[in-house]
Amino acid sequence: MRVGIFILILMVGLTAGLAVSAADDAATTQGSRTAPQDAAKEPVPPPSVTVIGAKDAHGILGREVRSAANEDMGRVVDVIVDREGTVRAAVIDFGGFLGVGSRKIVVDWNALRFGDVASKRDSITLELTKAQVAAAPEYKEDAPVIVLGAAGRLQPWDFDH
């Protein structure tokens, strides 16, 4: 008798669980059916389009960086942005030969000059000397970023420790 009551309670529980699950599935299905209809009622605006002339903008990743004295300073390997998406600095792979013995350093974005960049072969000019860059601390991900800036140009960042 106790086994029969236990089985009956178990069956009632399973049936109730299945009914709740079926009701949830029906609501989800109905909700997914109505969502596209609601979206179809409101027209989606087209994306904005900006045309930039071929001579007006260039990619910088991998681009050679040289000092004002035409010294090889390395290549741009990354760009650092703050939480608002404002470009703050560039990561330069500095020193070494063919990637051996090099290290990454971070320079303030305002210390870079792009005026003579007209093609992929052209380099970016850095307003720092090779000695200044050589003395800069190495960039390490997941550590506070120490940015080397041109005189009078660097502004502190607010960051969480």
Side-chain angles (χ1 to χ4, degrees), residues 86-111:
T86 304
V87 176
R88 297 293 307 263
V91 179
I92 298 176
D93 195 10
F94 173 77
F97 180 71
L98 298 175
V100 177
S102 65
R103 62 194 182 90
K104 293 177 182 168
I105 56 107
V106 180
V107 297
D108 183 52
W109 189 257
N110 294 316

Side-chain angles (χ1 to χ4, degrees), residues 60-139:
I60 66 161
L61 291 183
R63 188 161 312 244
E64 182 181 22
V65 178
R66 303 198 68 80
S67 71
N70 204 28
E71 301 166 295
D72 180 17
M73 305 296 263
R75 294 196 175 274
V76 176
V77 294
D78 206 350
V79 175
I80 305 288
V81 298
D82 61 20
R83 289 183 177 153
E84 286 77 36
T86 304
V87 176
R88 297 293 307 263
V91 179
I92 298 176
D93 195 10
F94 173 77
F97 180 71
L98 298 175
V100 177
S102 65
R103 62 194 182 90
K104 293 177 182 168
I105 56 107
V106 180
V107 297
D108 183 52
W109 189 257
N110 294 316
L112 298 171
R113 296 290 164 253
F114 303 93
D116 295 330
V117 177
S119 72
K120 280 280 198 191
R121 295 180 315 272
D122 296 329
S123 61
I124 298 167
T125 303
L126 178 60
E127 288 185 358
L128 297 166
T129 67
K130 194 163 192 161
Q132 289 172 320
V133 173
E138 186 172 3
Y139 167 70

Side-chain angles (χ1 to χ4, degrees), residues 12-30:
V12 169
L14 286 173
T15 305
L18 290 173
V20 169
S21 177
D24 287 345
D25 289 345
T28 302
T29 304
Q30 287 176 347

